[in-house]
Amino acid sequence: MNIKTIKLINFLSHSNTKISFNSNGIFLFLGENHEKNGDSNGAGKSSIVDAFLWCLYGESRYGKDLAKIVKLGESEVSVNIEFELNNIDYTIERRKKKDTSTELVCSAFQGTNLKDTQNYIEELLKLNSDTFKNSTCLLQGESDSFSKLSQKEAKDIILNILNVKEYDELEKKCKEKLHEDKNKLSELTPYITIFNTNSNELDNKIKIYNEKNNKLIETKQELQNIEHSINQNEIKLQEKQNLFNEKMKQLKDKHYALSQTLKIKIENAKDLLRNAQSLTKECPTCKQEVSKIYQQNLESCFESLLKSQKLELQRIEDNYTNKFNLLNLFYNTHITPILNTKNSYTSNYNSIYNIYNILDKELYSLQNEINKLKENLSKIEQVKQNIEMLSKEIKIYGVLAETFGKNGIPSYIIENAIPELELIVNNIAQKINSELYIAFNITKQLKSGDTRDDFRISIRDSQGERPYCGYSGGEKFIIDFSIRVGLSILLTKRNKATIETLIIDEGLGSLDNAKIEKFLEILNYIQNNYGFKKIWLITHVQDLQSYFNNIIVIKKDDRGSYVD
């Protein structure tokens, strides 16, 4: 961000201060505190930086307490910043009234929610407060803030600058998805057992169905064979029955005709016999006298006739009986066996037909069971596909979680960025003190041969490697300044953050004149080579005025601080 203006209303000692940065270059901020006979301390120089941080992030050296940043006697405070970023002009203003909530406005953001607006600004700048303060902005008394960070805090700043913190979120999302998929998989896994059980049951049911169906086909064929035999038997029976019936009819008809004729003859003979027995001495017809002998002969003749006719009738009856018995014998010999066979076929048919019906019902029931199993398997098949998909997803998200984890892409980025950071930092440091060398170590070799995360900064000079506390104040300033500027440059390169303004709020009192001159040379080198359009140098060293064209003097009197 290339700052164009900053305006403070009732911020600390400033009532209404506006500073415009109409050109690029290094801006020297000096102070004159007329409440302290013109001393530069307490004039309100560092308040400009505090206002800058408060406007962007709602933070300052005084925390978030309104009473500590609002000018004495006032009830509201505001800071307005105009800047250019990627050829687009932006305005950010933060304001706070007593007993009201803070208002934060960004010209490019339409939201009114404070948190949403703050998130938008940090996303726009690609910087959060910690990263900003430990790279782009060297606050008064805090130039060594990065060097004093814990290993984890320092590493987190590096990770933010390298924009690899986003991989933490990706790793987290992958692990959450991995956990979610594993839970789903554990819920669905029992369905595999159900699927296998149902599948085995289906195979068994189909096997039984096929066996019974084959049996049904065989039974049906057997019934058809029996039906054919019954039909053949029926034809044969009908033939024999017809023959029998015809013979029996002929016998009965003949018997009836003969017996009826004889019966008539017998009745006639009886009539003749009765007439002969009733004859008187005179013949009723010829009126001749009838002798006793003649009458007896006549009766004897008629009796013989009657007897012979009865014998003939008996013979006919006997003949009929014999032939009738022969026909019955024929029936028993030729028809009864056929009937017995028919009954046997019918009985066997009924028995097999019952078996056929039972098989048919069993097959119907089996078919319903098979259909139900297939329906269940179809549903479980979808579950099985989901399980296969989840299993694939688990493998993929497992690989992704590992890839996005600390030993994956972030480690690769860090391993490749650290040499670049060392090169930048030492290029700056050695232009002021050629004997200094600063190294960034991200791992530590263990006795086992393995490595572990162990972010630390090692510093050496002509006397060898020494801890940070072993260096002089001037050397510490060079170390801290080089690291902070190196981080800012790395931030611009790696995080796509456009850092066009570098803020240095230090007294430079720890440097001798020779190192101050080298320091000023390095500022020009940094501006010319690393894309900083503006560098703010806030100091109490008044003798530096001759080195700069852009000088901003902050004065303070009993009315407060203002720009001359």
Side-chain angles (χ1 to χ4, degrees):
M1 59 187 300
N2 183 15
I3 302 170
K4 290 185 173 183
T5 65
I6 182 169
K7 184 177 181 180
L8 291 68
I9 303 294
N10 298 328
F11 190 90
L12 293 174
S13 59
H14 293 266
S15 296
N16 188 344
T17 299
K18 181 177 181 180
I19 303 174
S20 298
F21 304 91
N22 297 321
S23 62
N24 295 329
I26 301 174
F27 290 80
L28 178 67
F29 286 74
L30 296 174
E32 294 180 10
N33 190 345
H34 295 285
E35 291 182 333
K36 296 182 178 180
N37 299 319
D39 187 6
S40 65
N41 290 320
K45 305 185 302 298
S46 295
S47 298
I48 304 298
V49 181
D50 284 322
F52 184 74
L53 287 172
W54 185 75
C55 183
L56 292 181
Y57 299 108
E59 299 179 9
S60 72
R61 287 175 295 170
Y62 305 98
K64 299 180 180 180
D65 186 356
L66 175 64
K68 293 182 179 180
I69 60 173
V70 69
K71 192 174 186 297
L72 187 65
E74 301 294 337
S75 60
E76 62 179 288
V77 61
S78 69
V79 177
N80 180 288
I81 299 173
E82 295 178 4
F83 63 93
E84 179 191 5
L85 183 64
N86 298 324
N87 298 319
I88 299 174
D89 290 330
Y90 296 91
T91 300
I92 295 175
E93 181 170 317
R94 189 183 295 266
R95 49 185 177 262
K96 179 79 167 70
K97 291 182 180 181
K98 187 177 180 180
D99 300 327
T100 62
S101 58
T102 300
E103 294 180 40
L104 179 61
V105 179
C106 177
S107 59
F109 185 69
Q110 301 301 318
T112 57
N113 180 275
L114 177 64
K115 184 178 179 181
D116 292 342
T117 307
Q118 185 65 59
N119 289 338
Y120 174 80
I121 291 171
E122 293 184 17
E123 180 64 28
L124 176 68
L125 301 179
K126 300 190 182 302
L127 291 167
N128 60 26
S129 173
D130 288 338
T131 305
F132 185 88
K133 289 187 293 184
N134 284 284
S135 58
T136 304
C137 183
L138 283 75
L139 297 176
Q140 186 179 42
E142 296 183 15
S143 65
D144 61 349
S145 62
F146 183 82
S147 302
K148 288 182 177 180
L149 292 174
S150 67
Q151 290 183 357
K152 181 181 184 306
E153 290 170 334
K155 185 177 181 181
D156 283 344
I157 294 295
I158 296 290
L159 294 177
N160 279 328
I161 288 174
L162 295 175
N163 201 27
V164 296
K165 276 291 186 180
E166 65 182 21
Y167 291 103
D168 289 343
E169 186 63 27
L170 290 173
E171 181 190 18
K172 180 182 176 183
K173 288 181 178 179
C174 286
K175 286 183 175 179
E176 287 174 353
K177 182 62 176 172
L178 195 62
H179 180 71
E180 179 186 338
D181 283 353
K182 284 182 176 179
N183 285 340
K184 288 181 179 178
L185 185 63
S186 64
E187 292 174 1
L188 295 178
T189 299
Y191 285 95
I192 292 293
T193 303
I194 297 173
F195 179 86
N196 292 333
T197 301
N198 283 1
S199 182
N200 292 336
E201 186 178 355
L202 177 62
D203 291 341
N204 188 48
K205 294 284 186 186
I206 291 174
K207 181 180 178 182
I208 294 172
Y209 180 89
N210 290 334
E211 290 174 354
K212 288 186 178 293
N213 190 52
N214 290 336
K215 182 66 176 175
L216 184 72
I217 293 170
E218 292 174 3
T219 304
K220 186 176 182 180
Q221 184 61 49
E222 191 174 355
L223 286 174
Q224 289 174 347
N225 293 337
I226 294 173
E227 285 179 349
H228 178 72
S229 297
I230 289 174
N231 290 336
Q232 293 298 315
N233 183 270
E234 187 67 30
I235 293 171
K236 187 176 180 181
L237 177 63
Q238 195 62 44
E239 289 176 353
K240 297 293 184 181
Q241 187 72 50
N242 290 340
L243 179 61
F244 173 82
N245 291 338
E246 184 180 355
K247 293 291 185 182
M248 184 61 76
K249 184 176 183 303
Q250 289 175 355
L251 177 63
K252 287 182 178 181
D253 288 345
K254 186 176 180 180
H255 170 261
Y256 179 78
L258 291 173
S259 61
Q260 285 298 110
T261 301
L262 281 172
K263 286 179 181 179
I264 293 171
K265 288 181 177 181
I266 289 171
E267 288 300 321
N268 290 333
K270 286 180 179 180
D271 288 341
L272 290 173
L273 180 60
R274 281 194 297 271
N275 290 331
Q277 290 173 347
S278 62
L279 283 177
T280 59
K281 292 181 180 183
E282 182 179 274
C283 177
T285 303
C286 63
K287 302 298 184 175
Q288 292 182 4
E289 184 179 354
V290 178
S291 65
K292 182 85 172 165
I293 295 172
Y294 176 81
Q295 185 177 10
Q296 288 176 349
N297 289 336
L298 188 61
E299 287 178 3
S300 176
C301 179
F302 289 145
E303 285 175 353
S304 295
L305 178 62
L306 180 60
K307 184 178 179 180
S308 65
Q309 288 177 341
K310 284 183 177 182
L311 289 174
E312 180 63 22
L313 180 61
Q314 184 62 47
R315 186 187 64 78
I316 291 172
E317 290 298 332
D318 291 342
N319 186 49
Y320 172 79
T321 300
N322 291 334
K323 288 184 177 182
F324 184 85
N325 290 335
L326 287 173
L327 283 175
N328 282 333
L329 179 61
F330 172 84
Y331 186 93
N332 292 330
T333 304
H334 296 86
I335 295 178
T336 299
I338 297 174
L339 285 172
N340 291 336
T341 302
K342 177 184 177 181
N343 292 334
S344 176
Y345 280 149
T346 303
S347 176
N348 191 27
Y349 181 90
N350 291 336
S351 177
I352 294 173
Y353 187 77
N354 288 335
I355 295 172
Y356 179 88
N357 283 336
I358 292 170
L359 285 171
D360 190 52
K361 290 178 181 178
E362 289 177 349
L363 284 172
Y364 179 80
S365 178
L366 276 171
Q367 187 63 60
N368 287 337
E369 292 176 16
I370 288 170
N371 290 341
K372 188 174 181 181
L373 284 170
K374 285 182 176 179
E375 183 180 350
N376 290 339
L377 283 173
S378 176
K379 293 177 181 177
I380 298 175
E381 182 64 33
Q382 183 61 49
V383 175
K384 190 178 179 183
Q385 291 176 8
N386 291 341
I387 289 173
E388 291 175 357
M389 182 187 70
L390 285 171
S391 299
K392 290 178 182 178
E393 280 191 4
I394 287 171
K395 288 181 181 178
I396 292 171
Y397 282 109
V399 172
L400 287 175
E402 188 175 341
T403 302
F404 296 140
K406 64 178 183 179
N407 295 322
I409 294 175
S411 176
Y412 176 79
I413 292 174
I414 293 170
E415 287 174 2
N416 284 273
I418 290 301
E420 183 180 4
L421 177 61
E422 286 183 356
L423 183 64
I424 296 170
V425 169
N426 286 296
N427 187 32
I428 295 169
Q430 290 173 10
K431 287 185 182 300
I432 305 175
N433 184 344
S434 61
E435 295 180 343
L436 280 175
Y437 185 82
I438 304 165
F440 297 88
N441 304 299
I442 58 175
T443 58
K444 182 177 181 179
Q445 189 77 28
L446 302 176
K447 291 181 180 180
S448 63
D450 295 331
T451 59
R452 74 176 183 191
D453 287 348
D454 185 43
F455 184 84
R456 59 191 176 88
I457 302 172
S458 60
I459 309 163
R460 66 176 182 268
D461 58 8
S462 59
Q463 300 179 38
E465 186 175 329
R466 285 180 289 156
Y468 175 79
C469 61
Y471 289 88
S472 67
E475 289 170 327
K476 287 180 181 177
F477 177 78
I478 295 169
I479 293 166
D480 294 326
F481 173 78
S482 300
I483 291 174
R484 300 283 288 280
V485 174
L487 291 174
S488 181
I489 293 168
L490 187 66
L491 179 65
T492 302
K493 287 186 172 185
R494 293 289 184 135
N495 200 20
K496 299 180 181 179
T498 307
I499 309 300
E500 297 175 317
T501 301
L502 180 64
I503 300 172
I504 305 167
D505 185 7
E506 277 298 323
L508 305 181
S510 60
L511 299 179
D512 58 31
N513 289 334
K515 284 188 170 59
I516 286 177
E517 287 187 5
K518 288 186 177 181
F519 176 76
L520 297 177
E521 288 177 7
I522 200 66
L523 285 184
N524 284 292
Y525 172 81
I526 289 169
Q527 185 192 14
N528 294 330
N529 290 277
Y530 292 111
F532 291 103
K533 292 183 178 180
K534 294 182 176 68
I535 297 178
W536 293 3
L537 177 60
I538 301 168
T539 182
H540 62 274
V541 181
Q542 301 289 339
D543 296 339
L544 297 179
Q545 294 187 45
S546 60
Y547 293 96
F548 299 96
N549 295 321
N550 299 313
I551 300 173
I552 298 172
V553 180
I554 308 296
K555 294 184 177 182
K556 185 179 181 184
D557 55 24
D558 56 358
R559 295 171 299 174
S561 298
Y562 57 94
V563 176
D564 185 11

